[in-house]
Amino acid sequence: MTAAIELGDTNRKTSELLEDVIRSLHGQDITLRQLLAIMGENGLLLVCGLLSLPFLFPVSIPGVSTVFGAGIILIAIAVTLNRLPWLPARLADRKLDSAKLVPVLERGVKFLRRMDNFFKPRLSMLTTGALMNRVNGLALIGAGGLLMLPLGLIPFSNTLPGIAILFLSAGVSQRDGLVVAAGYLMIVLTIVYFAALALLAYGAGQSLLG
């Protein structure tokens, strides 16, 4: 067994952290534990954002939201606790082939550099401090829970929480409080939308019974 890995909190952009990983390899393989130590919180948030991408369409494939939502919730719990949950040593200490990893990371850097143009540090009260770290983590957990609801065939039922997760993960990782605020707004809109669906379903049921 291995101890839990504490996450590093950083104000640096994710693209810069990926560049650090590339520079640190020097043709040598790296373990998942070492990769997470370098990437820290931003690495998990990047994965969280990537998991939300399949749901940015009006209707999603049924069942996928349950699996991806569970993954997002696990990542959000780690962000909230500021540490990666226990990983089996076989997984955490597995060597990643640098020859295959570097090209993937370089493509990621190019993509993230383009994304950097859309983000900038603002509304720092929503992205800094241990308290906001926990609040934002709890918001991600809530959004992941909304994503897991078995409503995939209903238009926008996965899209709205998916956008909320993307905004929250991107906003927190890039320290852009305005994007984080947009994520909270999307959570509110999701709850309102689901409440409206519930009221419509209830009204339809009452009409049938009447």
Side-chain angles (χ1 to χ4, degrees):
M1 295 178 62
T2 59
I5 304 169
E6 186 171 351
L7 296 173
D9 189 12
T10 177
N11 289 325
R12 301 181 65 200
K13 295 180 179 180
T14 309
S15 59
E16 295 174 346
L17 293 173
L18 281 180
E19 289 174 333
D20 281 351
V21 174
I22 295 172
R23 282 193 294 266
S24 67
L25 291 178
H26 298 301
Q28 299 179 349
D29 295 343
I30 189 173
T31 66
L32 179 59
R33 183 190 305 279
Q34 293 168 331
L35 182 61
L36 290 170
I38 297 173
M39 292 296 295
E41 179 186 278
N42 281 23
L44 289 182
L45 290 169
L46 177 61
V47 175
C48 196
L50 291 175
L51 289 177
S52 72
L53 295 181
F55 307 104
L56 304 185
F57 302 95
V59 179
S60 302
I61 302 173
V64 174
S65 64
T66 302
V67 177
F68 279 41
I72 289 169
I73 288 175
L74 290 175
I75 293 172
I77 290 173
V79 171
T80 304
L81 299 177
N82 198 37
R83 63 176 53 237
L84 189 75
W86 172 83
L87 287 174
R90 184 175 181 181
L91 177 61
D93 296 323
R94 181 180 179 181
K95 290 281 187 178
L96 303 175
D97 187 348
S98 62
K100 297 179 180 178
L101 182 61
V102 168
V104 175
L105 294 179
E106 288 176 340
R107 287 195 292 270
V109 169
K110 291 179 181 178
F111 172 76
L112 289 169
R113 279 177 179 166
R114 290 196 293 268
M115 295 301 295
D116 286 343
N117 296 326
F118 298 96
F119 301 100
K120 60 182 179 180
R122 48 191 167 183
L123 297 179
S124 59
M125 73 285 293
L126 295 179
T127 62
T128 57
L131 176 60
M132 281 311 304
N133 185 71
R134 289 178 171 80
V135 171
N136 291 329
L138 291 173
L140 275 171
I141 292 172
L146 292 172
L147 183 66
M148 289 184 68
L149 293 178
L151 303 172
L153 294 177
I154 299 176
F156 303 108
S157 60
N158 289 154
T159 304
L160 295 177
I163 293 174
I165 292 165
L166 182 60
F167 282 170
L168 286 170
S169 57
V172 173
S173 66
Q174 300 301 315
R175 299 300 184 262
D176 192 332
L178 185 61
V179 178
V180 172
Y184 280 102
L185 176 61
M186 291 306 302
I187 290 177
V188 172
L189 291 177
T190 302
I191 294 172
V192 171
Y193 181 59
F194 285 178
L197 291 176
L199 288 174
L200 288 173
Y202 175 79
Q206 289 295 101
S207 298
L208 290 174
L209 292 175

